[in-house]
């Protein structure tokens, strides 16, 4: 799969815009896409996968992040377009 790393600034309303994915709300972690989302994963900065979701082609996915410790994480969204990885 194609992958890209994107460094994004969180807007005042708590969202980031991911190319080919759309707006991602980090307030409750809602991932929305015009295309079906196959999987969503979150990794720690050390590369440990801490969230792994099979999304069954949904266009809106809510990811529980309240149990994650403070720190740097990477969000990986796969929706049949090139996979996007975003540093949170």
């Amino acid at each position: 799969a194609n992958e890209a790393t994107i460094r994004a600034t969180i807007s005042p309303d708590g969202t980031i815009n991911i190319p080919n994915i759309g707006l991602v709300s980090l307030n409750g972690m809602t991932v929305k896409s015009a295309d079906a989302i196959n999987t969503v994963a979150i990794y720690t900065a050390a590369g440990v996968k801490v969230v792994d979701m099979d999304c069954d082609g949904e266009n809106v996915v809510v990811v529980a992040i309240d149990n994650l410790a403070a720190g740097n994480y990477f969000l990986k969204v796969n929706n049949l377009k090139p996979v996007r990885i975003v540093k949170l």
Side-chain angles (χ1 to χ4, degrees):
N2 294 326
E3 295 184 4
T5 300
I6 300 166
R7 196 173 282 257
T9 301
I10 301 171
S11 69
D13 67 352
T15 62
I16 58 175
N17 192 0
I18 304 172
N20 296 321
I21 299 293
L23 286 178
V24 175
S25 172
L26 301 179
N27 202 5
M29 197 62 172
T30 300
V31 179
K32 297 179 183 178
S33 176
D35 299 304
I37 299 170
N38 294 324
T39 60
V40 171
I42 298 178
Y43 296 83
T44 66
V48 176
K49 188 185 296 186
V50 293
V51 174
D52 188 15
M53 294 179 60
D54 182 5
C55 304
D56 296 325
E58 296 292 328
N59 291 79
V60 177
V61 178
V62 177
V63 182
I65 59 171
D66 54 344
N67 60 336
L68 299 178
N72 293 314
Y73 295 90
F74 294 89
L75 170 68
K76 181 177 180 181
V77 179
N78 181 348
N79 70 343
L80 298 182
K81 291 187 177 187
V83 174
R84 299 289 183 204
I85 300 175
V86 179
K87 182 177 181 186
L88 302 179

